[in-house]
Amino acid sequence: MTAATPPMPPPTVGVLYPGYSAEDDYPRAEKLLGDGSRLPLVHTEMREDAHRVDALLDIGGDDVLADGARAVAAGGPLDAIVWACTSGSFVFGWDGASAQVAALRQTAGVPASSTSFAFVDACARLGITRVAVGATYPGDVAERFVAFLARGGVAVRQLSARGIVTAAEVGTLPADLVLDFAAAADHPQAQAVLLPDTALHTVELLDALEARVGKPVLTANQVSVWQGLRLAGADRPRAGLGALFAAG
């Protein structure tokens, strides 16, 4: 008889998170996953909290991410690592964001990704090619996300930009406003609504968001966790975290 393959241990996904705003979404996600998966988080350096191109290029620098990777790895072995910042990745453009991830992978020595690529991969998983975007950013920054998605084969049918300058302010938005914002951002031709800011608290609202909008809603912290688990080889259906996790 062939011996049964022992089950894989729960994965550990390192999370690099800039500043302080909605980082508590990650321990909440750990609880909702409920399977022992670990999401250790390190706050990377944010010299200026501003949704402005120059500030975003600074927080996503290779030196900043390398320091974060070394810090999170000091807590124990990782199975994957994610740069949990959408604007601090797409602001570099597709090629620059690819180089950013490659440098992070080399430093960490494990599979790596960023939230921007997680959105593209999540859309691919669900067969989504047309979306509406509800961005908390100023319009010029949000347009860069639209261009990034287009490079990944995802067309934006409607962009709503709230114009909030700091991540700290985004992190204070209450649940009812987040639900209203997602519903208002929708477009009839969109197959899903994307909420791209990791500063926005959404992990405990995922099923409520989809019930309110009536279609999949992909949020930054949700896709970051999903991408990390996928890269760690722990991609399977899970309840309570929206259509993306239900799809496995």
Side-chain angles (χ1 to χ4, degrees):
M1 294 179 60
T2 303
T5 303
M8 291 180 59
T12 299
V13 177
V15 177
L16 305 185
Y17 190 92
Y20 296 81
S21 45
E23 68 277 5
D24 47 342
D25 261 5
Y26 291 88
R28 287 170 178 159
E30 277 190 0
K31 290 181 181 179
L32 289 169
L33 290 168
D35 61 359
S37 297
R38 295 186 60 248
L39 305 170
L41 181 147
V42 163
H43 294 274
T44 55
E45 184 177 13
M46 177 187 278
R47 285 178 274 262
E48 182 180 5
D49 180 7
H51 288 141
R52 202 179 61 242
V53 172
D54 62 325
L56 296 170
L57 290 169
D58 183 61
I59 67 171
D62 288 346
D63 57 336
V64 175
L65 299 192
D67 287 346
R70 286 188 284 267
V72 74
L78 302 175
D79 298 298
I81 191 167
V82 175
W83 167 224
C85 183
T86 325
S87 56
S89 46
F90 71 68
V91 74
F92 288 85
W94 188 273
D95 293 340
S98 297
Q100 182 187 63
V101 167
L104 180 58
R105 184 185 306 116
Q106 182 174 10
T107 299
V110 294
S113 190
S114 67
T115 309
S116 293
F117 286 116
F119 270 112
V120 173
D121 292 339
C123 285
R125 170 58 59 87
L126 295 176
I128 290 167
T129 58
R130 304 182 312 278
V131 301
V133 172
T136 53
Y137 320 124
D140 63 324
V141 173
E143 289 288 355
R144 290 183 176 233
F145 184 52
V146 173
F148 190 93
L149 291 173
R151 180 72 182 271
V154 180
V156 175
R157 290 291 184 255
Q158 178 166 281
L159 169 64
S160 302
R162 195 170 178 86
I164 300 176
V165 174
T166 68
E169 182 180 350
V170 173
T172 67
L173 298 179
D176 58 346
L177 193 152
V178 176
L179 291 166
D180 289 346
F181 182 48
D186 192 19
H187 185 275
Q189 295 180 7
Q191 298 164 290
V193 173
L194 275 54
L195 303 179
D197 197 346
T198 58
L200 193 67
H201 286 99
T202 60
V203 161
E204 292 184 324
L205 301 175
L206 294 170
D207 287 346
L209 281 164
E210 295 189 346
R212 176 69 179 275
V213 177
K215 62 184 64 172
V217 177
L218 300 178
T219 77
N221 291 328
Q222 174 204 36
V223 301
S224 297
V225 173
W226 173 82
Q227 183 84 318
L229 294 173
R230 187 180 72 84
L231 293 176
D235 186 9
R236 61 176 178 78
R238 302 166 189 264
L241 289 161
L244 176 62
F245 276 85

